[in-house]
Amino acid sequence: MIIGHLNTLPLAGLPSALYTILSRPDCALDALSARDDGRWQPEGCTWFCHIGPVQTQPQALRHTEYHHQWADIQIVLSGEEIIHAGTESVARPDDEERKPDLFITTKARHSVGVRLAAGSFAIFLPGEPHQALCAVDNPMTIRKAVFKIPRAMLEV
């Protein structure tokens, strides 16, 4: 897991492929916030982004997920959430694959919890378990951008 803020990208220690994406002018906080809800994929890019409102919930109601083929960059555009994460692989043969490459596990131990507000981001590399959209105090609707980065971009 990598955490940071869009206003201080050079301090985040990002892999070059991720730094290149997040330093694009159309990925700045103001640009992402102004974008319409839905899927966005710049022409010629293998990565894409979903932007829109989502509801936070108490941690006990949230699932933990991981991916094999995609990295996630989760950026809060408005509101606040807590994302819990683990540092050990949790993949088990009986985990539910809810969508292609979206695995849900019940075996995760979360060793880290991060509070994200507007402009904050968390990056989860393939295999890293994460439990997003946990309420800070009370459930709320937040707006966020979730980038999906193919594993192959990280292996160059």
Side-chain angles (χ1 to χ4, degrees):
M1 176 174 82
I2 302 168
I3 58 171
H5 195 281
L6 291 177
N7 292 338
T8 57
L9 278 180
L11 301 177
L14 299 175
S16 61
L18 301 181
Y19 183 83
T20 298
I21 292 168
L22 291 180
S23 61
R24 292 168 53 115
D26 54 1
C27 292
L29 180 59
D30 290 344
L32 290 171
S33 296
R35 196 167 278 289
D36 290 337
D37 292 345
R39 182 180 164 130
W40 168 57
Q41 184 170 18
E43 190 173 327
C45 291
T46 57
W47 57 268
F48 61 92
C49 177
H50 289 283
I51 299 173
V54 285
Q55 183 70 35
T56 65
Q57 297 177 308
Q59 182 182 5
L61 299 178
R62 296 296 308 151
H63 65 263
T64 298
E65 65 184 60
Y66 62 92
H67 315 280
H68 292 298
Q69 300 304 317
W70 298 90
D72 278 2
I73 303 174
Q74 300 197 17
I75 303 171
V76 173
L77 303 176
S78 66
E80 290 185 305
E81 73 172 313
I82 295 175
I83 298 180
H84 297 277
T87 56
E88 299 175 22
S89 174
V90 295
R92 305 277 190 280
D94 60 339
D95 289 341
E96 175 190 356
E97 188 172 10
R98 201 165 280 174
K99 296 180 190 175
D101 201 45
L102 171 65
F103 294 90
I104 307 300
T105 184
T106 58
K107 308 288 189 224
R109 288 187 316 227
H110 302 109
S111 54
V112 177
V114 179
R115 185 176 181 157
L116 300 177
S120 301
F121 63 83
I123 298 173
F124 301 97
L125 299 175
E128 292 183 329
H130 49 286
Q131 182 186 38
L133 296 175
C134 295
V136 172
D137 292 315
N138 296 306
M140 69 165 53
T141 300
I142 67 171
R143 189 163 186 258
K144 68 189 293 186
V146 178
F147 288 74
K148 303 301 280 185
I149 313 300
R151 178 184 208 110
M153 282 187 69
L154 304 171
E155 296 173 347
V156 252

